[in-house]
Amino acid sequence: MRIAPNEIAFDVDGVVADTFHLFVARAHRDYGYRFEYEDITEYDFMKVLDMDPQASDAIIQTLLDHPLESGLLPISGAVEVLTRLSLLAPLHFVTARPQKEPILDWVEHQLPEVDRNLIRLDVTGVHTEKIPVLIEKGFKYFVEDRLETCPLLERNGITPIVFEQPWNKKPHPYHVVGDWEDISMLIDWS
């Protein structure tokens, strides 16, 4: 698989943003929970974590509304690969987050060497609405951590690339990347 730089788009949380590590840290610090990142074996993590829904909702709302102020960090290697990729094509992010400005500000802050005009971000509010956006913009590949979205991508002619996380380790037929170095090796840099 050799991917042209203009044919790939990226999810944000769990692919670019290390959201779930911060969620675990906040649950521990603010509410005293003692679960580990590896305990999140389902994307719908409330199915597997014994956690008060109000505490979970409060943490999630903070991460949605204030990703920059909350200390959200990029996943290791993301900044370097995305910065390099931006020299060849605009960067495209498609997220199920409900608000654009907070996460766009975060992305721009994390990519200081990337021209702002080369950063494109679409928010859909729900996972299924990523598909029409990707189709409309002509993407052939999408890096996603939510396994349940991958069959929808595939049925619509978009090749899913699964960014490995504890919640997507069930058997599946999709290409898996373990980190941003793996993503870099798929890109046609010529």
Side-chain angles (χ1 to χ4, degrees):
M1 184 183 311
R2 300 306 293 165
I3 300 172
N6 64 338
E7 294 180 339
I8 189 168
F10 305 92
D11 181 30
V12 176
D13 296 296
V15 174
V16 179
D18 202 359
T19 313
F20 297 93
H21 271 109
L22 183 56
F23 178 89
V24 170
R26 284 288 179 102
H28 173 71
R29 186 192 80 194
D30 299 345
Y31 298 94
Y33 288 101
R34 297 280 181 208
F35 51 80
E36 301 294 327
Y37 184 74
E38 292 73 23
D39 295 333
I40 306 175
T41 56
E42 292 287 336
Y43 189 86
D44 183 0
F45 56 85
M46 290 303 286
K47 290 180 179 177
V48 293
L49 298 181
D50 184 19
M51 184 176 187
D52 176 54
Q54 287 182 315
S56 170
D57 290 349
I59 296 169
I60 290 168
Q61 201 60 53
T62 297
L63 299 180
L64 290 175
D65 294 344
H66 308 287
L68 197 52
E69 299 84 351
S70 69
L72 181 60
L73 297 173
I75 289 178
S76 179
V79 170
E80 295 79 8
V81 173
L82 290 168
T83 299
R84 182 177 175 203
L85 191 60
S86 74
L87 301 174
L88 301 175
L91 303 176
H92 289 265
F93 305 95
V94 182
T95 177
R97 282 176 174 250
Q99 303 171 69
K100 184 173 185 170
E101 291 309 315
I103 196 61
L104 179 59
D105 290 345
W106 181 87
V107 170
E108 290 178 350
H109 179 81
Q110 299 303 328
L111 299 171
E113 296 178 29
V114 176
D115 181 335
R116 298 294 168 261
N117 296 317
L118 297 176
I119 296 174
R120 317 275 164 71
L121 185 133
D122 289 283
V123 297
T124 63
V126 292
H127 297 282
T128 53
E129 290 304 309
K130 292 178 180 179
I131 311 309
V133 171
L134 293 164
I135 291 170
E136 176 191 328
K137 298 186 187 251
F139 289 107
K140 295 181 181 175
Y141 301 90
F142 187 62
V143 183
E144 171 69 90
D145 66 305
R146 184 176 183 269
L147 199 53
E148 295 79 4
T149 304
C150 294
L152 298 171
L153 292 164
E154 188 175 54
R155 278 198 298 275
N156 285 280
I158 301 160
T159 301
I161 299 169
V162 178
F163 196 95
E164 188 175 46
Q165 294 288 4
W167 52 87
N168 61 31
K169 296 204 177 191
K170 297 174 189 73
H172 61 79
Y174 310 112
H175 188 86
V176 175
V177 290
D179 55 28
W180 276 87
E181 185 175 330
D182 288 351
I183 293 173
S184 179
M185 293 190 323
L186 296 175
I187 304 292
D188 181 358
W189 296 104
S190 58

